[in-house]
Amino acid sequence: MICEHCKQRHANVTVTQVQNGQQIERHYCDVCAAQFHPFQFEMKEEPASLQQLMTNWFNFVPIIKKENVAGSTAKTKACPTCGTTYRQFLKQGKFGCGDCYRTFSEQLPQLLEKIQAGTKHVGYVEETHSKEKINQQISELRLLQQQAITEERFEDAAKFRDDIRALESKVGQGEERA
Amino acid sequence: MNIEHFLTNANPSWMQYESDSDIVISTRIRLARNIANVRFPISFTEQDAEQIEHQLMTALLAIDRENPYHFSYFKVKDMPQLQRQILVEKHLISPNLARRQKIGSFFLTEDESISILVNEEDHIRIQSLAQGMNLQQAYEEARKVDRYLSKSIAYAYEDRYGYLTSCPTNVGTGLRASVMLHLPALTMTKQMNALIQMMTRLGMVVRGIYGEGSDNLGNVYQISNQITLGKSETVILQELEKVVEQIIQKEQVARKNLLLRAPTILEDRLSRSLGTLKYAKILTSEEAASCLSNVRLGVSLGLLEPISQRKLNECMLIMQPGIIQQYAGATLQATERDMYRAKLLQEKLNEQASNDGEKGEDSYDV
Ligand SMILES: [Zn+2]
Ligand SMILES: [Zn+2]
């Protein structure tokens, strides 16, 4: 038998797993078994994937089907920043960037209602980045940049310079808006 | 700090206190954060990834003068497989991060209680570990680091949705709080399934600590909040605490019932487990986990000789395949590991008998 994981070496380790009350036998080679010991095997950081959540908990019919029928513009809309479409999101369960939350603002509430306790954040309020904060940060970076130059770490110094520029442009934007 | 420090230390200082309950093992808090205007790891470029690592480095450097932490920094790609595995077994990094080929790095404090995972599913995941039931304290620790970072990093945050995360299951507070519980009596009396269903309805998630494929290995379960949006951090922590308190009570009742109904059978079963741990020559991780669980229960019920929880926690940690090999100083085949595991656990348990008088028990006379 060939190892189920690497599909190269001979499988000489059998791992029995219990999934949904059913025993499943898996066969691995020594090398893969050492990496995917039952202890670690399929250990997921997240309690459940979004899809699992939707199907297991809420018998949720993916929105995508309804959209296909309706043929709404939402079907083809892609996030201008990262290019993720809602269909892609449903497939991978993850957004590509923060702007996706704005892009899919039409579909998001009905999704969040299923998986969350509401559609509005009521927790800790992150302070917005005040100009003061950013200026302080810039001066800290300037110190680091100076230090890097003195120590002839020019690549680091260049990185600090870029960071400083990025922050300076942010302060500029803030002024325009205000 | 050298990586060896984290690999060989089976008894980090955050684990060294005896908790007041022998049912709760530890608490973990995780805060998911992302940097504003940078794509999430699922769609970012390697350059983005580097830039993020660099930004975190700068942030931690910038606060170094005022902060009490001394973080060590490691890149995942530089680490051999075994080292990654050990860090996962110690809950210092996530399996997701450990699997990364190119990107991904992490910061660790010397006592291992705080880690910052960089470019995992989100740009930043701050994790804080604490012994026993310490949700509030662990949360405060994570928040401290969060506040430090937010001084120089602009988070992806919106008033409406709170902290924006890759997955909408984390959006809002970005907070995942977990408590690790040892529930042998509820498992033996087959009450866990019903309990898990009840907890699911309350918006809690229950898993085995070692992952899905090994549900109740060692009868240790991890209970976490599922909801991150629409509830405040305080409410999330309070609700989890309430649920955990109820489970503890149920476990205590189940233990009493076991003792009442089948004292001899129970004592026999638990004593046999201690015997196995003391005299077996080959121990699979499954058998070791189940024996350690029984011994933990036996000690707590006063049916077995006293062994400190600290020692039992350490045994639960070091019996895992990666750490076993670290102890052995060599890569071992499965059977060799089982032999070495038996040897190592015997040493640990014997060391207990001779050490207890002088050290480790002082926390009992409170
Ligand atoms: Zn293989
Ligand atoms: Zn996007």
Side-chain angles (χ1 to χ4, degrees), chain A residues 3-9 28-33:
Chain A
C3 169
E4 278 183 44
H5 181 67
C6 62
K7 300 190 170 61
Q8 285 176 348
R9 286 174 288 262
Y28 299 112
C29 67
D30 271 331
V31 181
C32 294

Side-chain angles (χ1 to χ4, degrees), chain B residues 148-218:
Chain B
Y148 275 130
L149 290 179
S150 79
K151 282 187 190 175
S152 46
I153 289 173
Y155 286 142
Y157 176 92
E158 270 179 15
D159 288 340
R160 170 154 191 200
Y161 293 127
Y163 294 95
L164 305 180
T165 52
S166 288
C167 186
T169 53
N170 295 313
V171 75
T173 59
L175 167 66
R176 184 87 62 221
S178 319
V179 180
M180 220 151 76
L181 298 173
H182 180 228
L183 306 174
L186 285 173
T187 312
M188 272 184 223
T189 54
K190 305 211 183 313
Q191 295 179 69
M192 274 317 289
N193 275 347
L195 210 61
I196 288 172
Q197 277 176 23
M198 185 202 87
M199 285 185 271
T200 307
R201 278 199 295 276
L202 292 172
M204 305 290 165
V205 181
V206 186
R207 293 187 300 155
I209 45 161
Y210 301 116
E212 312 239 314
S214 51
D215 289 323
N216 51 7
L217 196 58

Side-chain angles (χ1 to χ4, degrees), chain B residues 117-160:
Chain B
L117 314 193
V118 188
N119 293 329
E120 204 239 28
E121 186 184 299
D122 292 299
H123 295 151
I124 302 168
R125 287 191 163 187
I126 304 163
Q127 181 185 288
S128 138
L129 297 165
Q131 181 82 320
M133 176 83 162
N134 268 310
L135 282 165
Q136 202 54 45
Q137 181 211 328
Y139 174 69
E140 286 305 325
E141 288 301 320
R143 273 290 295 145
K144 250 189 247 170
V145 177
D146 185 35
R147 273 194 296 264
Y148 275 130
L149 290 179
S150 79
K151 282 187 190 175
S152 46
I153 289 173
Y155 286 142
Y157 176 92
E158 270 179 15
D159 288 340
R160 170 154 191 200

Side-chain angles (χ1 to χ4, degrees), chain B residues 177-295:
Chain B
S178 319
V179 180
M180 220 151 76
L181 298 173
H182 180 228
L183 306 174
L186 285 173
T187 312
M188 272 184 223
T189 54
K190 305 211 183 313
Q191 295 179 69
M192 274 317 289
N193 275 347
L195 210 61
I196 288 172
Q197 277 176 23
M198 185 202 87
M199 285 185 271
T200 307
R201 278 199 295 276
L202 292 172
M204 305 290 165
V205 181
V206 186
R207 293 187 300 155
I209 45 161
Y210 301 116
E212 312 239 314
S214 51
D215 289 323
N216 51 7
L217 196 58
N219 302 321
V220 178
Y221 301 84
Q222 185 177 293
I223 324 261
S224 330
N225 66 300
Q226 179 64 52
I227 304 294
T228 56
L229 183 71
K231 283 180 185 174
S232 70
E233 288 86 351
T234 318
V235 170
I236 290 170
L237 295 177
Q238 275 170 359
E239 285 183 355
L240 181 62
E241 189 156 355
K242 236 187 270 166
V243 166
V244 168
E245 273 164 11
Q246 280 172 12
I247 296 168
I248 293 174
Q249 275 176 20
K250 281 199 199 308
E251 169 70 17
Q252 279 163 344
V253 171
R255 287 181 183 193
K256 265 184 209 140
N257 285 339
L258 275 178
L259 259 183
L260 272 175
R261 269 188 280 157
T264 321
I265 295 171
L266 186 66
E267 194 177 352
D268 175 73
R269 190 163 161 187
L270 305 184
S271 308
R272 276 167 191 272
S273 289
L274 183 59
T276 304
L277 286 180
K278 279 188 163 173
Y279 297 108
K281 293 290 168 225
I282 297 170
L283 270 178
T284 62
S285 40
E286 288 80 2
E287 191 176 12
S290 118
C291 287
L292 279 168
S293 165
N294 283 341
V295 168

Side-chain angles (χ1 to χ4, degrees), chain A residues 73-170:
Chain A
T73 50
K75 186 176 73 177
T76 46
K77 193 153 86 179
C79 173
T81 311
C82 69
T84 304
T85 61
Y86 199 69
R87 185 197 291 260
Q88 244 177 313
F89 159 70
L90 281 178
K91 211 172 145 201
Q92 63 198 22
K94 289 179 186 100
F95 287 130
C97 74
D99 292 339
C100 287
Y101 281 89
R102 231 165 295 145
T103 311
F104 305 118
S105 58
E106 267 177 56
Q107 294 96 327
L108 212 46
Q110 51 170 322
L111 169 77
L112 290 172
E113 265 162 31
K114 309 268 182 202
I115 61 168
Q116 295 284 7
T119 58
K120 174 101 184 69
H121 177 57
V122 294
Y124 179 77
V125 177
E126 178 75 18
E127 294 163 48
T128 47
H129 276 246
S130 64
K131 211 173 121 186
E132 196 186 329
K133 212 177 190 181
I134 294 172
N135 280 333
Q136 184 199 337
Q137 214 183 313
I138 291 174
S139 54
E140 271 166 0
L141 281 169
R142 285 217 174 98
L143 272 177
L144 288 170
Q145 186 193 15
Q146 271 309 313
Q147 214 176 321
I149 293 171
T150 339
E151 289 165 15
E152 300 189 7
R153 289 181 287 116
F154 296 115
E155 260 183 46
D156 290 344
K159 274 182 189 161
F160 289 131
R161 180 204 56 210
D162 293 345
D163 290 350
I164 292 167
R165 278 189 191 156
L167 286 175
E168 278 172 345
S169 72
K170 222 189 262 176

